[in-house]
Amino acid sequence: MGEFTGGDYISVGELPTSRANHMKKVSVLPLVFLIFYEVSGGPFGVEDTVQAAGPLLALLGFLVFPLIWSVPEALITAEMGTMFPENSGYVVWVSAALGPYWGFQQGWMKWLSGVIDNALYPVLFLDYLKSAIPALGGGLPRVVATWGLTIVLTYLNYRGLTIVGWVAVCLGIFSLLPFVVMGFMAIPDIQPSRWLVTDLKNVDWNLYLNTLFWNLNYWDSISTLAGEVENPKKTLPKALFYALILVVLGYFFPLLVGTGAVPVNRELWSDGYFSDIAMIIGGVWLRWWLQAAAAMSNMGMFVAEMSSDSFQLLGMAERGMLPEFFTRRSRHGTPLIGILFSASGVLLLSWLSFQEIVAAENFLYCIGMILEFIAYILLRIKHPNASRPYKVPGGTVGAIVMCIPPTILICVVLAFSSLKVMVISIIAMVIGLVMQPCLKFFEKKRWMKFSHSSELPDLHEEEGTHSLVR
Protein backbone atom coordinates (compact mmCIF):
# COMPACT_ATOMS: atom_id res chain seq x y z
CA MET A 1 0.00 0.00 0.00
CA GLY A 2 1.82 3.06 1.10
CA GLU A 3 3.43 5.09 3.84
CA PHE A 4 1.77 8.08 5.46
CA THR A 5 4.24 10.81 6.28
CA GLY A 6 1.87 13.66 7.02
CA GLY A 7 1.43 14.33 3.34
CA ASP A 8 0.87 11.90 0.53
CA TYR A 9 1.10 8.13 0.47
CA ILE A 10 4.14 6.53 -1.08
CA SER A 11 3.18 3.54 -3.20
CA VAL A 12 4.57 0.18 -2.24
CA GLY A 13 5.15 -0.40 -5.92
CA GLU A 14 7.91 2.22 -5.77
CA LEU A 15 9.78 0.28 -3.09
CA PRO A 16 12.16 -2.58 -3.81
CA THR A 17 10.35 -5.89 -4.16
CA SER A 18 11.27 -9.53 -3.74
CA ARG A 19 12.34 -9.71 -7.35
CA ALA A 20 15.89 -8.81 -6.46
CA ASN A 21 16.92 -12.17 -7.90
CA HIS A 22 17.12 -10.35 -11.28
CA MET A 23 15.43 -13.20 -13.05
CA LYS A 24 13.62 -12.37 -16.28
CA LYS A 25 10.11 -11.08 -15.60
CA VAL A 26 6.81 -12.13 -17.15
CA SER A 27 5.39 -9.82 -19.86
CA VAL A 28 1.78 -9.26 -21.01
CA LEU A 29 1.24 -12.14 -23.47
CA PRO A 30 2.57 -14.95 -21.26
CA LEU A 31 0.69 -13.42 -18.34
CA VAL A 32 -2.60 -13.50 -20.30
CA PHE A 33 -2.17 -17.22 -20.94
CA LEU A 34 -1.04 -17.91 -17.37
CA ILE A 35 -4.31 -16.30 -16.20
CA PHE A 36 -6.18 -18.24 -18.89
CA TYR A 37 -4.78 -21.48 -17.49
CA GLU A 38 -5.28 -20.43 -13.85
CA VAL A 39 -8.98 -19.90 -14.59
CA SER A 40 -9.89 -22.03 -17.60
CA GLY A 41 -7.55 -23.81 -19.99
CA GLY A 42 -10.35 -24.24 -22.51
CA PRO A 43 -13.77 -25.95 -22.47
CA PHE A 44 -12.47 -29.30 -21.19
CA GLY A 45 -14.59 -30.10 -18.13
CA VAL A 46 -17.63 -27.94 -18.96
CA GLU A 47 -19.59 -30.90 -20.37
CA ASP A 48 -21.21 -31.53 -16.98
CA THR A 49 -23.18 -28.27 -17.22
CA VAL A 50 -25.14 -29.68 -20.18
CA GLN A 51 -25.68 -32.97 -18.38
CA ALA A 52 -26.86 -31.14 -15.26
CA ALA A 53 -29.13 -28.49 -16.81
CA GLY A 54 -29.42 -28.87 -20.59
CA PRO A 55 -28.10 -26.68 -23.45
CA LEU A 56 -29.99 -23.44 -22.70
CA LEU A 57 -28.96 -23.13 -19.06
CA ALA A 58 -25.42 -24.23 -19.89
CA LEU A 59 -25.06 -21.48 -22.50
CA LEU A 60 -26.73 -18.85 -20.31
CA GLY A 61 -24.54 -19.90 -17.39
CA PHE A 62 -21.34 -19.09 -19.27
CA LEU A 63 -22.71 -15.67 -20.24
CA VAL A 64 -24.33 -14.59 -16.96
CA PHE A 65 -21.99 -16.22 -14.44
CA PRO A 66 -18.92 -14.23 -15.63
CA LEU A 67 -20.82 -10.96 -15.01
CA ILE A 68 -21.81 -12.01 -11.50
CA TRP A 69 -18.55 -13.65 -10.50
CA SER A 70 -15.61 -13.35 -12.89
CA VAL A 71 -15.77 -9.62 -13.61
CA PRO A 72 -15.91 -8.55 -9.93
CA GLU A 73 -13.14 -10.97 -8.98
CA ALA A 74 -10.93 -9.82 -11.87
CA LEU A 75 -11.51 -6.14 -10.98
CA ILE A 76 -10.63 -6.72 -7.33
CA THR A 77 -7.51 -8.64 -8.37
CA ALA A 78 -6.45 -5.80 -10.68
CA GLU A 79 -6.82 -3.20 -7.91
CA MET A 80 -5.35 -5.19 -5.04
CA GLY A 81 -2.66 -6.87 -7.14
CA THR A 82 -1.28 -3.51 -8.28
CA MET A 83 -1.63 -2.14 -4.75
CA PHE A 84 0.47 -4.99 -3.33
CA PRO A 85 2.76 -6.20 -6.17
CA GLU A 86 4.35 -9.10 -4.30
CA ASN A 87 4.21 -12.88 -4.30
CA SER A 88 2.04 -13.36 -1.23
CA GLY A 89 -0.87 -11.93 -3.26
CA TYR A 90 -4.25 -12.24 -1.55
CA VAL A 91 -2.50 -13.26 1.68
CA VAL A 92 -1.08 -9.77 2.11
CA TRP A 93 -4.45 -8.20 1.18
CA VAL A 94 -6.16 -9.98 4.06
CA SER A 95 -3.19 -9.41 6.41
CA ALA A 96 -3.30 -5.67 5.76
CA ALA A 97 -7.02 -5.49 6.51
CA LEU A 98 -7.58 -8.14 9.19
CA GLY A 99 -4.14 -8.94 10.58
CA PRO A 100 -1.57 -11.72 10.04
CA TYR A 101 -3.65 -14.46 11.72
CA TRP A 102 -6.41 -14.19 9.14
CA GLY A 103 -3.86 -13.61 6.41
CA PHE A 104 -2.39 -17.00 7.28
CA GLN A 105 -5.86 -18.61 7.18
CA GLN A 106 -6.39 -17.10 3.75
CA GLY A 107 -3.06 -18.49 2.59
CA TRP A 108 -3.79 -21.96 3.99
CA MET A 109 -7.26 -22.24 2.46
CA LYS A 110 -6.23 -20.85 -0.91
CA TRP A 111 -3.10 -22.99 -1.12
CA LEU A 112 -5.06 -26.10 -0.16
CA SER A 113 -7.84 -25.34 -2.67
CA GLY A 114 -5.16 -24.72 -5.31
CA VAL A 115 -3.50 -28.07 -4.62
CA ILE A 116 -6.90 -29.79 -4.71
CA ASP A 117 -7.53 -28.02 -8.02
CA ASN A 118 -4.23 -29.27 -9.39
CA ALA A 119 -5.13 -32.83 -8.44
CA LEU A 120 -7.92 -32.57 -11.05
CA TYR A 121 -5.70 -32.15 -14.07
CA PRO A 122 -4.10 -35.60 -14.16
CA VAL A 123 -7.65 -36.98 -13.75
CA LEU A 124 -8.97 -34.93 -16.69
CA PHE A 125 -5.87 -35.70 -18.75
CA LEU A 126 -6.38 -39.45 -18.38
CA ASP A 127 -10.16 -39.20 -18.86
CA TYR A 128 -9.60 -37.77 -22.32
CA LEU A 129 -6.99 -40.38 -23.23
CA LYS A 130 -8.74 -43.47 -21.88
CA SER A 131 -11.06 -43.72 -24.91
CA ALA A 132 -7.96 -44.10 -27.09
CA ILE A 133 -5.92 -46.02 -24.50
CA PRO A 134 -8.41 -48.07 -22.39
CA ALA A 135 -5.68 -49.26 -20.01
CA LEU A 136 -5.55 -45.74 -18.53
CA GLY A 137 -9.12 -46.13 -17.26
CA GLY A 138 -8.00 -47.57 -13.92
CA GLY A 139 -5.65 -49.79 -11.97
CA LEU A 140 -1.86 -49.67 -11.89
CA PRO A 141 -1.41 -48.08 -15.38
CA ARG A 142 -3.53 -45.10 -14.30
CA VAL A 143 -1.60 -44.68 -11.04
CA VAL A 144 1.76 -44.85 -12.85
CA ALA A 145 0.56 -42.38 -15.50
CA THR A 146 -0.68 -39.95 -12.81
CA TRP A 147 2.61 -40.01 -10.92
CA GLY A 148 4.71 -39.78 -14.08
CA LEU A 149 2.74 -36.80 -15.40
CA THR A 150 2.97 -35.00 -12.05
CA ILE A 151 6.74 -35.47 -11.86
CA VAL A 152 7.36 -34.27 -15.44
CA LEU A 153 5.20 -31.14 -15.03
CA THR A 154 6.71 -30.39 -11.63
CA TYR A 155 10.14 -30.38 -13.27
CA LEU A 156 8.86 -27.89 -15.85
CA ASN A 157 7.83 -25.58 -13.01
CA TYR A 158 11.26 -25.97 -11.48
CA ARG A 159 12.89 -24.71 -14.69
CA GLY A 160 11.43 -21.21 -14.41
CA LEU A 161 8.30 -19.04 -14.62
CA THR A 162 9.29 -17.42 -17.91
CA ILE A 163 9.50 -20.84 -19.54
CA VAL A 164 6.14 -21.77 -17.99
CA GLY A 165 4.61 -18.54 -19.39
CA TRP A 166 5.69 -19.14 -22.98
CA VAL A 167 4.81 -22.82 -22.74
CA ALA A 168 1.34 -21.65 -21.66
CA VAL A 169 1.09 -19.46 -24.80
CA CYS A 170 1.95 -22.37 -27.10
CA LEU A 171 -0.29 -24.83 -25.28
CA GLY A 172 -3.18 -22.32 -25.27
CA ILE A 173 -3.07 -21.78 -29.02
CA PHE A 174 -2.77 -25.51 -29.68
CA SER A 175 -5.66 -26.30 -27.29
CA LEU A 176 -8.12 -23.78 -28.75
CA LEU A 177 -7.45 -24.31 -32.47
CA PRO A 178 -9.36 -27.62 -32.85
CA PHE A 179 -12.52 -25.94 -31.54
CA VAL A 180 -12.18 -23.20 -34.15
CA VAL A 181 -11.81 -25.83 -36.88
CA MET A 182 -14.71 -27.86 -35.44
CA GLY A 183 -16.87 -24.74 -35.40
CA PHE A 184 -16.38 -24.08 -39.11
CA MET A 185 -16.94 -27.74 -40.01
CA ALA A 186 -20.14 -27.86 -37.93
CA ILE A 187 -21.86 -24.91 -39.64
CA PRO A 188 -24.00 -27.09 -42.01
CA ASP A 189 -25.21 -29.22 -39.08
CA ILE A 190 -26.11 -26.40 -36.67
CA GLN A 191 -29.75 -26.39 -35.57
CA PRO A 192 -30.41 -23.31 -33.36
CA SER A 193 -33.54 -24.92 -31.86
CA ARG A 194 -31.25 -27.31 -29.94
CA TRP A 195 -29.82 -24.37 -27.99
CA LEU A 196 -33.24 -23.71 -26.43
CA VAL A 197 -33.72 -27.20 -24.98
CA THR A 198 -34.30 -27.08 -21.22
CA ASP A 199 -36.20 -28.86 -18.46
CA LEU A 200 -36.31 -26.90 -15.22
CA LYS A 201 -37.86 -29.86 -13.41
CA ASN A 202 -34.82 -31.97 -14.20
CA VAL A 203 -31.83 -29.84 -13.16
CA ASP A 204 -28.99 -31.00 -10.93
CA TRP A 205 -28.29 -27.59 -9.41
CA ASN A 206 -25.41 -28.81 -7.27
CA LEU A 207 -23.48 -30.19 -10.26
CA TYR A 208 -24.46 -27.23 -12.46
CA LEU A 209 -23.35 -24.52 -10.02
CA ASN A 210 -20.18 -26.32 -8.91
CA THR A 211 -19.09 -26.87 -12.53
CA LEU A 212 -19.76 -23.24 -13.47
CA PHE A 213 -18.01 -22.01 -10.35
CA TRP A 214 -14.97 -24.22 -10.86
CA ASN A 215 -14.60 -23.19 -14.51
CA LEU A 216 -14.87 -19.45 -13.86
CA ASN A 217 -12.96 -18.81 -10.64
CA TYR A 218 -9.31 -18.42 -9.58
CA TRP A 219 -8.84 -14.97 -11.14
CA ASP A 220 -7.06 -13.92 -7.96
CA SER A 221 -4.45 -16.71 -8.25
CA ILE A 222 -2.32 -14.59 -10.55
CA SER A 223 -1.77 -12.14 -7.68
CA THR A 224 0.71 -14.57 -6.12
CA LEU A 225 2.93 -14.06 -9.17
CA ALA A 226 2.77 -10.25 -9.07
CA GLY A 227 6.31 -10.09 -7.73
CA GLU A 228 7.55 -11.83 -10.89
CA VAL A 229 5.66 -9.61 -13.38
CA GLU A 230 7.22 -6.90 -15.50
CA ASN A 231 5.71 -3.52 -14.47
CA PRO A 232 2.71 -5.08 -12.63
CA LYS A 233 0.92 -1.73 -12.24
CA LYS A 234 0.16 -1.65 -15.96
CA THR A 235 0.68 -5.25 -17.04
CA LEU A 236 -1.65 -6.96 -14.54
CA PRO A 237 -4.92 -5.06 -15.28
CA LYS A 238 -4.32 -5.29 -19.03
CA ALA A 239 -3.63 -9.03 -18.88
CA LEU A 240 -6.73 -9.65 -16.74
CA PHE A 241 -8.93 -7.82 -19.27
CA TYR A 242 -7.63 -9.79 -22.26
CA ALA A 243 -7.79 -13.07 -20.33
CA LEU A 244 -11.44 -12.45 -19.35
CA ILE A 245 -12.44 -12.14 -23.01
CA LEU A 246 -10.41 -15.22 -23.96
CA VAL A 247 -11.90 -17.34 -21.16
CA VAL A 248 -15.56 -16.49 -21.90
CA LEU A 249 -15.16 -17.07 -25.64
CA GLY A 250 -13.21 -20.26 -24.98
CA TYR A 251 -16.22 -21.69 -23.13
CA PHE A 252 -19.20 -20.26 -25.00
CA PHE A 253 -18.15 -20.97 -28.60
CA PRO A 254 -17.43 -24.72 -28.18
CA LEU A 255 -20.66 -25.19 -26.21
CA LEU A 256 -22.56 -23.36 -28.94
CA VAL A 257 -21.06 -25.67 -31.56
CA GLY A 258 -21.42 -28.91 -29.59
CA THR A 259 -25.03 -28.40 -28.49
CA GLY A 260 -26.13 -27.02 -31.86
CA ALA A 261 -24.51 -29.53 -34.21
CA VAL A 262 -25.23 -32.81 -32.40
CA PRO A 263 -28.62 -34.17 -31.20
CA VAL A 264 -28.96 -33.45 -27.49
CA ASN A 265 -28.55 -36.44 -25.17
CA ARG A 266 -27.79 -35.04 -21.74
CA GLU A 267 -26.62 -38.36 -20.32
CA LEU A 268 -23.69 -38.42 -22.77
CA TRP A 269 -22.43 -34.99 -21.72
CA SER A 270 -19.71 -35.87 -19.22
CA ASP A 271 -15.94 -35.36 -19.01
CA GLY A 272 -14.37 -36.06 -22.39
CA TYR A 273 -17.54 -35.81 -24.48
CA PHE A 274 -16.14 -33.07 -26.69
CA SER A 275 -13.82 -35.68 -28.22
CA ASP A 276 -16.89 -37.73 -29.23
CA ILE A 277 -18.46 -34.62 -30.78
CA ALA A 278 -15.23 -34.04 -32.72
CA MET A 279 -15.48 -37.62 -34.03
CA ILE A 280 -19.06 -37.03 -35.19
CA ILE A 281 -18.30 -33.70 -36.88
CA GLY A 282 -14.83 -34.22 -38.32
CA GLY A 283 -13.84 -37.84 -37.96
CA VAL A 284 -10.94 -39.63 -36.30
CA TRP A 285 -8.27 -37.00 -37.09
CA LEU A 286 -10.24 -34.20 -35.37
CA ARG A 287 -10.94 -36.44 -32.41
CA TRP A 288 -7.24 -37.21 -31.99
CA TRP A 289 -6.38 -33.52 -32.31
CA LEU A 290 -8.93 -32.55 -29.68
CA GLN A 291 -7.76 -35.29 -27.32
CA ALA A 292 -4.20 -34.08 -27.74
CA ALA A 293 -5.41 -30.50 -27.13
CA ALA A 294 -7.17 -31.64 -23.94
CA ALA A 295 -3.99 -33.33 -22.75
CA MET A 296 -1.93 -30.23 -23.50
CA SER A 297 -4.52 -27.99 -21.83
CA ASN A 298 -4.38 -30.00 -18.63
CA MET A 299 -0.61 -29.70 -18.71
CA GLY A 300 -0.97 -25.93 -19.03
CA MET A 301 -3.42 -25.70 -16.14
CA PHE A 302 -1.20 -27.84 -13.97
CA VAL A 303 1.96 -25.79 -14.47
CA ALA A 304 0.10 -22.46 -14.09
CA GLU A 305 -1.62 -23.53 -10.88
CA MET A 306 1.55 -25.00 -9.40
CA SER A 307 3.42 -21.77 -10.18
CA SER A 308 0.80 -19.79 -8.29
CA ASP A 309 0.69 -22.19 -5.32
CA SER A 310 4.45 -22.45 -4.92
CA PHE A 311 5.14 -18.71 -5.26
CA GLN A 312 2.39 -18.08 -2.69
CA LEU A 313 4.30 -20.20 -0.15
CA LEU A 314 7.48 -18.28 -0.97
CA GLY A 315 5.65 -14.96 -0.52
CA MET A 316 4.22 -16.07 2.83
CA ALA A 317 7.70 -17.08 4.01
CA GLU A 318 9.05 -13.67 2.95
CA ARG A 319 6.36 -12.18 5.19
CA GLY A 320 7.47 -14.35 8.13
CA MET A 321 4.31 -16.50 8.08
CA LEU A 322 6.12 -19.70 7.13
CA PRO A 323 9.60 -21.02 8.03
CA GLU A 324 12.51 -19.41 6.24
CA PHE A 325 13.37 -22.54 4.21
CA PHE A 326 10.30 -21.80 2.03
CA THR A 327 12.14 -18.74 0.66
CA ARG A 328 14.78 -20.92 -1.02
CA ARG A 329 14.87 -20.45 -4.78
CA SER A 330 16.41 -22.77 -7.31
CA ARG A 331 19.08 -21.54 -9.72
CA HIS A 332 16.20 -20.84 -12.12
CA GLY A 333 14.58 -18.45 -9.61
CA THR A 334 11.71 -20.80 -8.75
CA PRO A 335 10.52 -21.59 -5.18
CA LEU A 336 12.10 -25.02 -4.68
CA ILE A 337 10.43 -26.05 -1.40
CA GLY A 338 7.07 -24.59 -2.44
CA ILE A 339 7.11 -26.69 -5.62
CA LEU A 340 7.94 -29.87 -3.70
CA PHE A 341 5.17 -29.26 -1.15
CA SER A 342 2.60 -28.48 -3.85
CA ALA A 343 3.55 -31.57 -5.90
CA SER A 344 3.31 -33.78 -2.79
CA GLY A 345 -0.19 -32.46 -2.09
CA VAL A 346 -1.27 -33.23 -5.66
CA LEU A 347 -0.05 -36.83 -5.42
CA LEU A 348 -1.79 -37.36 -2.08
CA LEU A 349 -5.13 -36.10 -3.44
CA SER A 350 -5.02 -37.73 -6.88
CA TRP A 351 -7.14 -40.70 -5.71
CA LEU A 352 -10.29 -38.56 -5.34
CA SER A 353 -12.99 -38.51 -8.05
CA PHE A 354 -13.54 -35.49 -10.31
CA GLN A 355 -16.80 -34.32 -8.71
CA GLU A 356 -15.49 -34.83 -5.13
CA ILE A 357 -12.40 -32.76 -5.93
CA VAL A 358 -14.45 -29.93 -7.49
CA ALA A 359 -16.90 -29.75 -4.56
CA ALA A 360 -14.18 -29.77 -1.84
CA GLU A 361 -12.10 -27.20 -3.69
CA ASN A 362 -15.08 -24.90 -4.24
CA PHE A 363 -16.01 -24.95 -0.54
CA LEU A 364 -12.55 -23.86 0.63
CA TYR A 365 -12.25 -21.36 -2.20
CA CYS A 366 -15.58 -19.77 -1.24
CA ILE A 367 -14.47 -19.16 2.34
CA GLY A 368 -11.24 -17.61 1.06
CA MET A 369 -13.16 -15.32 -1.29
CA ILE A 370 -15.34 -14.06 1.57
CA LEU A 371 -12.16 -13.00 3.39
CA GLU A 372 -10.96 -11.27 0.20
CA PHE A 373 -14.19 -9.31 -0.21
CA ILE A 374 -14.05 -8.21 3.44
CA ALA A 375 -10.41 -7.14 3.06
CA TYR A 376 -11.15 -5.25 -0.16
CA ILE A 377 -13.98 -3.26 1.41
CA LEU A 378 -12.15 -2.62 4.71
CA LEU A 379 -9.08 -1.26 2.91
CA ARG A 380 -11.36 1.05 0.90
CA ILE A 381 -12.90 2.33 4.16
CA LYS A 382 -9.76 2.52 6.32
CA HIS A 383 -7.31 3.77 3.68
CA PRO A 384 -9.28 5.64 1.00
CA ASN A 385 -6.26 7.78 0.03
CA ALA A 386 -3.76 4.97 -0.36
CA SER A 387 -2.00 4.67 -3.69
CA ARG A 388 -3.97 2.44 -6.06
CA PRO A 389 -2.32 2.29 -9.51
CA TYR A 390 -5.52 0.69 -10.80
CA LYS A 391 -8.73 1.64 -8.97
CA VAL A 392 -12.20 0.23 -9.64
CA PRO A 393 -14.53 3.23 -10.08
CA GLY A 394 -17.55 3.78 -7.86
CA GLY A 395 -15.99 4.58 -4.51
CA THR A 396 -16.59 2.59 -1.32
CA VAL A 397 -20.32 2.25 -1.97
CA GLY A 398 -19.62 0.89 -5.45
CA ALA A 399 -17.11 -1.59 -3.97
CA ILE A 400 -19.72 -2.88 -1.52
CA VAL A 401 -22.42 -3.15 -4.20
CA MET A 402 -20.01 -5.00 -6.54
CA CYS A 403 -19.30 -7.61 -3.85
CA ILE A 404 -22.96 -8.38 -3.08
CA PRO A 405 -23.85 -10.60 -6.11
CA PRO A 406 -20.75 -12.84 -5.84
CA THR A 407 -21.27 -13.12 -2.07
CA ILE A 408 -24.84 -14.33 -2.63
CA LEU A 409 -23.51 -16.80 -5.17
CA ILE A 410 -20.94 -18.06 -2.65
CA CYS A 411 -23.73 -18.68 -0.12
CA VAL A 412 -25.71 -20.64 -2.74
CA VAL A 413 -22.68 -22.80 -3.65
CA LEU A 414 -21.98 -23.49 0.04
CA ALA A 415 -25.63 -24.36 0.66
CA PHE A 416 -25.52 -27.03 -2.06
CA SER A 417 -22.42 -28.69 -0.58
CA SER A 418 -22.84 -32.29 0.54
CA LEU A 419 -22.34 -33.24 4.19
CA LYS A 420 -19.17 -35.19 3.31
CA VAL A 421 -17.60 -32.22 1.50
CA MET A 422 -18.62 -29.85 4.29
CA VAL A 423 -17.12 -32.02 7.03
CA ILE A 424 -13.83 -32.54 5.14
CA SER A 425 -13.56 -28.81 4.36
CA ILE A 426 -14.29 -27.75 7.96
CA ILE A 427 -11.63 -30.17 9.23
CA ALA A 428 -9.16 -28.63 6.77
CA MET A 429 -10.08 -25.13 8.02
CA VAL A 430 -9.63 -26.18 11.67
CA ILE A 431 -6.14 -27.45 10.84
CA GLY A 432 -5.28 -23.97 9.57
CA LEU A 433 -6.75 -22.30 12.67
CA VAL A 434 -4.48 -24.43 14.86
CA MET A 435 -1.41 -24.41 12.59
CA GLN A 436 -0.74 -20.65 12.77
CA PRO A 437 -0.43 -20.50 16.61
CA CYS A 438 1.73 -23.64 16.48
CA LEU A 439 4.10 -22.03 13.99
CA LYS A 440 4.28 -18.92 16.18
CA PHE A 441 5.10 -21.14 19.15
CA PHE A 442 7.88 -22.84 17.15
CA GLU A 443 9.22 -19.41 16.23
CA LYS A 444 9.16 -18.27 19.86
CA LYS A 445 10.99 -21.42 20.96
CA ARG A 446 13.41 -21.02 18.03
CA TRP A 447 12.68 -24.55 16.83
CA MET A 448 12.26 -23.12 13.33
CA LYS A 449 13.80 -20.05 11.75
CA PHE A 450 11.46 -17.35 10.45
CA SER A 451 12.43 -14.09 8.77
CA HIS A 452 10.83 -11.04 7.16
CA SER A 453 12.29 -9.92 3.85
CA SER A 454 13.91 -6.49 4.22
CA GLU A 455 12.81 -5.67 0.68
CA LEU A 456 9.11 -5.82 1.59
CA PRO A 457 7.29 -3.00 3.40
CA ASP A 458 5.88 -3.69 6.86
CA LEU A 459 2.10 -3.90 6.90
CA HIS A 460 1.34 -3.14 10.52
CA GLU A 461 2.36 -0.08 12.43
CA GLU A 462 2.41 0.78 16.05
CA GLU A 463 -0.73 2.39 17.40
CA GLY A 464 -0.97 6.05 16.49
CA THR A 465 0.32 5.82 12.95
CA HIS A 466 -1.96 6.21 9.97
CA SER A 467 -0.49 3.84 7.49
CA LEU A 468 -0.19 0.19 6.67
CA VAL A 469 3.59 0.21 6.28
CA ARG A 470 6.61 1.89 7.74
Side-chain angles (χ1 to χ4, degrees):
M1 271 258 296
E3 178 179 2
F4 189 77
T5 57
D8 297 328
Y9 278 86
I10 301 171
S11 170
V12 164
E14 295 168 3
L15 298 174
T17 71
S18 57
R19 288 178 288 162
N21 51 68
H22 301 298
M23 291 290 173
K24 193 172 181 181
K25 300 162 194 171
V26 180
S27 57
V28 175
L29 184 61
L31 191 62
V32 168
F33 278 89
L34 281 172
I35 297 170
F36 173 72
Y37 275 119
E38 293 276 11
V39 176
S40 167
F44 313 103
V46 304
E47 296 97 333
D48 281 337
T49 57
V50 180
Q51 182 187 96
L56 180 61
L57 288 181
L59 290 167
L60 286 176
F62 282 102
L63 288 179
V64 175
F65 203 94
L67 296 176
I68 298 173
W69 179 259
S70 301
V71 171
E73 191 182 358
L75 288 172
I76 291 171
T77 301
E79 178 172 322
M80 303 291 277
T82 55
M83 201 172 173
F84 298 97
E86 58 181 90
N87 290 331
S88 48
Y90 35 69
V91 176
V92 77
W93 309 349
V94 175
S95 294
L98 300 172
Y101 179 81
W102 290 108
F104 181 90
Q105 304 313 316
Q106 173 76 346
W108 165 246
M109 285 185 289
K110 283 301 190 81
W111 178 79
L112 190 57
S113 69
V115 170
I116 294 172
D117 183 57
N118 237 7
L120 280 172
Y121 303 130
V123 173
L124 285 173
F125 178 89
L126 297 176
D127 280 347
Y128 266 89
L129 291 185
K130 69 184 180 184
S131 59
I133 310 173
L136 296 177
L140 183 60
R142 188 177 179 92
V143 173
V144 172
T146 300
W147 278 65
L149 182 64
T150 301
I151 292 169
V152 170
L153 297 181
T154 299
Y155 176 74
L156 185 61
N157 270 96
Y158 165 77
R159 287 302 306 272
L161 188 58
T162 304
I163 292 175
V164 169
W166 285 108
V167 166
V169 174
C170 297
L171 292 178
I173 293 170
F174 180 78
S175 298
L176 292 174
L177 271 179
F179 291 99
V180 176
V181 173
M182 188 167 71
F184 282 111
M185 295 183 69
I187 290 174
D189 301 318
I190 295 288
Q191 294 184 24
S193 60
R194 291 171 176 159
W195 297 330
L196 304 178
V197 174
T198 187
D199 181 4
L200 294 177
K201 296 179 181 179
N202 183 24
V203 176
D204 184 342
W205 291 106
N206 186 28
L207 178 59
Y208 176 68
L209 290 173
N210 268 310
T211 305
L212 281 174
F213 193 78
W214 176 66
N215 280 287
L216 286 163
N217 62 18
Y218 279 88
W219 294 93
D220 58 338
S221 293
I222 201 65
S223 68
T224 63
L225 302 177
E228 312 299 313
V229 173
E230 180 182 321
N231 191 10
K233 291 182 181 181
K234 294 182 179 179
T235 304
L236 188 58
K238 191 183 297 184
L240 281 162
F241 174 74
Y242 294 144
L244 181 63
I245 295 172
L246 185 62
V247 166
V248 174
L249 289 177
Y251 285 140
F252 189 76
F253 180 74
L255 274 176
L256 202 66
V257 173
T259 55
V262 176
V264 178
N265 185 342
R266 284 173 56 177
E267 293 181 0
L268 297 177
W269 281 83
S270 60
D271 303 326
Y273 186 58
F274 270 123
S275 64
D276 295 333
I277 295 175
M279 179 71 178
I280 295 168
I281 293 173
V284 176
W285 67 272
L286 186 58
R287 180 182 187 176
W288 275 97
W289 186 7
L290 195 138
Q291 286 178 334
M296 296 300 103
S297 176
N298 283 289
M299 288 173 61
M301 288 188 284
F302 187 100
V303 295
E305 181 63 53
M306 181 169 283
S307 294
S308 176
D309 296 341
S310 56
F311 272 102
Q312 178 200 317
L313 295 181
L314 181 145
M316 290 177 70
E318 290 178 336
R319 281 282 172 194
M321 295 182 180
L322 291 176
E324 189 181 53
F325 61 77
F326 278 98
T327 63
R328 283 189 58 192
R329 290 182 183 248
S330 70
R331 61 190 178 90
H332 304 289
T334 48
L336 185 60
I337 307 300
I339 288 173
L340 291 175
F341 264 72
S342 298
S344 300
V346 169
L347 291 173
L348 288 172
L349 293 166
S350 60
W351 57 271
L352 292 172
S353 73
F354 177 83
Q355 291 184 11
E356 285 177 326
I357 292 174
V358 169
E361 170 206 336
N362 283 349
F363 192 99
L364 291 171
Y365 188 82
C366 283
I367 303 299
M369 285 309 303
I370 290 173
L371 286 177
E372 277 186 33
F373 293 154
I374 292 171
Y376 174 63
I377 293 169
L378 282 180
L379 290 175
R380 278 291 189 102
I381 294 171
K382 291 181 178 179
H383 303 278
N385 299 320
S387 173
R388 290 172 169 85
Y390 176 85
K391 187 174 183 179
V392 180
T396 302
V397 174
I400 294 172
V401 170
M402 185 177 70
C403 290
I404 291 174
T407 302
I408 293 172
L409 184 61
I410 284 174
C411 294
V412 172
V413 171
L414 291 177
F416 276 107
S417 298
S418 67
L419 180 62
K420 177 183 177 182
V421 167
M422 195 175 297
V423 169
I424 292 173
S425 301
I426 290 173
I427 291 172
M429 290 165 60
V430 170
I431 291 172
L433 294 173
V434 174
M435 189 187 306
Q436 198 268 356
C438 289
L439 287 174
K440 285 298 176 186
F441 179 76
F442 294 161
E443 181 181 10
K444 184 178 179 180
K445 291 291 185 179
R446 297 188 178 182
W447 293 346
M448 287 183 174
K449 186 177 180 182
F450 292 74
S451 63
H452 188 291
S453 174
S454 60
E455 297 173 342
L456 295 175
D458 291 333
L459 293 177
H460 302 285
E461 276 289 354
E462 297 175 2
E463 196 172 344
T465 61
H466 304 283
S467 66
L468 294 181
V469 299
R470 267 193 278 270

